[in-house]
Amino acid sequence: MQWWIGGSSEGNWVSIEDRYTVDPEKPAWQLDKKEEATDLTWYVNADWWNTDFGKDIVTKKIKEDLNINIKFITGDDTKLNTFFAGGDMPDLLTVFDSNSPVVQKAATWAMPLNDLAEKYDPYFNKVAAADTLNWFQLADGKTYGYPNYSNTQEDYDSGNIPAKTAFIIRKDVYEALGSPVIGTPEEFQSVMKRIKQEFPALIPFGFNSIGEGTGSLGDTLQDFIGVPLETESGEFYDRNLDEDYLTWLKTLNTVYRDGNISDDSFADDGTAFEEKVKSGKYATMLLDGTPQQGGNLQIYMSANPGKEYVAIDGPQSTKGNAPTLNQSGITGWMINFISKDCKDPAKAIQIFTYLLSEEGQTLMNYGIEGKPTKPKPTVV
């Protein structure tokens, strides 16, 4: 991969002298007097990313508060490499792999968040987690990327971290079936048959897209039924050969042969899966990544009151093991950067501060009180 550095090795440090005076006690987006809207391009290294901005009520509020227009660009690793090889860098850039060269060599193409905060928006340091900033710090002592979602040790110690995996069922289906229990393989098979009989337009059971992996039927299901990670003596445990897990795989195979798992579920990509979530096509789902699917679930709920998805216990261990549900660590999920060619890095760091603040988090997670909303997944 070629590593191209933007127009300046130091970045585009714009002047804010006629716009605002920084205040450590107040976010810069509330101070900025820039009249014309700032146009920014934001590349997300995911073909499935939603590129709409300013159309739904949540991003429309962000657009108004920050006085910005964001053009989202999506792609894959090939397109990402083209940016670095060709020199036409976006203003902001989001990638997934924290160990990739893009992240490890961020000092060559991105602007340090520490310096951006000091110059343009010191309030950023009040809303960004110090542990997270330190985790992503490079050899030069500066931090260039910040994850959209991560948990520090303090978060874990609080005991308030929700799991990101859930077994969910449409409320109308659940109530029509008499709130059934789906804990054992036999109960699961029985309920799937009933769903097919009473709700023939629905797919009884769905799961995250398989892609090149296992969707939510691999380690996600293993975690859900409490398959151990190691032996009692601390040695490697082959979870794929666990008797409990194999029992549930055989159960799923039976459910599939009964016609209660769609053939498409094994071929659908992320976009196709999300479209089915948005339309409530699945009666039940073993869903991994609930924060990322929150927007899709909200879209369906807003359009179908009383039919929203609710979480229930779902499949359980046949051996009595407790679930060991997974969560994001400090590395998080998506890592976001401000490139050295950013047209307005002052406005860019304001976006980070806004989305990390209590106000931004409330907006992204809950929308605007009293108004039906179709929120988009948060970037920062």
Side-chain angles (χ1 to χ4, degrees):
M1 178 184 294
Q2 299 181 49
W3 286 96
W4 174 82
I5 299 177
S8 167
S9 61
E10 297 299 324
N12 182 30
W13 295 95
V14 299
S15 172
I16 56 169
E17 187 175 355
D18 59 344
R19 290 166 55 179
Y20 64 97
T21 301
V22 296
D23 183 347
E25 302 302 320
K26 198 166 186 178
W29 67 268
Q30 295 181 356
L31 304 170
D32 200 343
K33 300 181 182 67
K34 186 178 180 181
E35 294 183 2
E36 68 276 14
T38 300
D39 296 324
L40 297 172
T41 57
W42 195 325
Y43 175 75
V44 181
N45 198 45
D47 286 324
W48 48 263
W49 187 256
N50 191 321
T51 57
D52 288 341
F53 181 80
K55 297 179 181 179
D56 63 278
I57 197 169
V58 170
T59 58
K60 184 178 180 181
K61 174 66 171 172
I62 296 172
K63 178 178 180 177
E64 293 172 352
D65 284 349
L66 294 171
N67 195 23
I68 56 173
N69 295 309
I70 295 178
K71 178 183 178 182
F72 281 108
I73 305 170
T74 63
D76 54 16
D77 286 345
T78 299
K79 189 166 185 176
L80 178 65
N81 292 342
T82 301
F83 279 120
F84 289 100
D88 186 17
M89 292 288 287
D91 299 293
L92 300 101
L93 188 144
T94 297
V95 297
F96 288 82
D97 185 0
S98 62
N99 295 314
S100 69
V102 170
V103 175
Q104 298 303 316
K105 297 184 179 181
T108 66
W109 61 270
M111 300 183 76
L113 299 179
N114 323 73
D115 296 347
L116 287 168
E118 180 180 357
K119 185 175 180 63
Y120 299 125
D121 195 1
Y123 195 83
F124 170 80
N125 292 315
K126 288 184 175 293
V127 295
D131 286 350
T132 304
L133 289 171
N134 291 337
W135 181 264
F136 283 96
Q137 188 180 94
L138 296 185
D140 62 1
K142 298 181 183 296
T143 300
Y144 296 84
Y146 198 93
N148 69 313
Y149 185 90
S150 68
N151 294 301
T152 64
Q153 186 61 49
E154 182 180 355
D155 293 323
Y156 276 97
D157 291 343
S158 73
N160 293 324
I161 296 179
K164 67 181 183 70
T165 301
F167 186 87
I168 60 177
I169 184 171
R170 271 181 37 172
K171 184 178 180 181
D172 57 328
V173 174
Y174 190 52
E175 293 177 346
L177 297 180
S179 305
V181 176
I182 315 181
T184 69
E186 294 76 19
E187 290 168 341
F188 186 83
Q189 288 177 233
S190 175
V191 170
M192 294 304 116
K193 288 181 179 179
R194 288 188 61 193
I195 291 173
K196 184 179 181 180
Q197 294 169 354
E198 299 181 35
F199 296 87
L202 300 182
I203 301 170
F205 177 65
F207 43 88
N208 291 64
S209 61
I210 295 290
E212 297 180 357
T214 54
S216 49
L217 300 183
D219 57 351
T220 299
L221 176 57
Q222 292 168 354
D223 292 339
F224 207 82
I225 61 174
V227 176
L229 291 168
E230 58 185 20
T231 65
E232 292 183 0
S233 59
E235 298 176 345
F236 171 77
Y237 183 75
D238 192 341
R239 304 178 87 202
N240 293 332
L241 297 180
D242 178 78
E243 181 181 352
D244 203 4
Y245 177 56
L246 293 177
T247 296
W248 272 104
L249 286 186
K250 291 175 182 177
T251 301
L252 293 175
N253 180 262
T254 300
V255 172
Y256 167 72
R257 292 180 181 278
D258 288 341
N260 299 325
I261 294 177
S262 169
D263 285 338
D264 290 340
S265 292
F266 297 97
D268 282 347
D269 59 13
T271 301
F273 169 71
E274 292 191 2
E275 287 302 321
K276 287 185 172 73
V277 175
K278 289 178 186 177
S279 61
K281 188 67 175 176
Y282 301 112
T284 69
M285 281 184 279
L286 179 59
L287 187 65
D288 187 40
T290 51
Q292 291 77 46
Q293 294 299 327
N296 298 320
L297 294 170
Q298 179 70 47
I299 288 172
Y300 176 71
M301 182 179 73
S302 297
N304 301 275
K307 297 182 179 181
E308 64 270 18
Y309 285 96
V310 295
I312 63 174
D313 287 342
Q316 299 174 30
S317 170
T318 62
K319 297 181 177 180
N321 293 335
T324 54
L325 301 184
N326 203 349
Q327 241 294 351
S328 172
I330 198 168
T331 300
W333 186 46
M334 306 166 74
I335 311 164
N336 309 276
F337 300 87
I338 298 171
S339 79
K340 289 184 177 181
D341 270 10
C342 181
K343 292 185 291 292
D344 191 341
K347 186 64 71 174
I349 192 66
Q350 288 174 29
I351 297 173
F352 279 42
T353 299
Y354 180 93
L355 294 176
L356 284 170
S357 70
E358 183 176 351
E359 183 169 2
Q361 288 292 296
T362 299
L363 175 65
M364 295 304 299
N365 286 288
Y366 304 108
I368 299 173
E369 186 175 359
K371 295 184 180 181
T373 179
K374 296 180 180 180
K376 301 294 185 268
T378 180
V379 174
V380 175

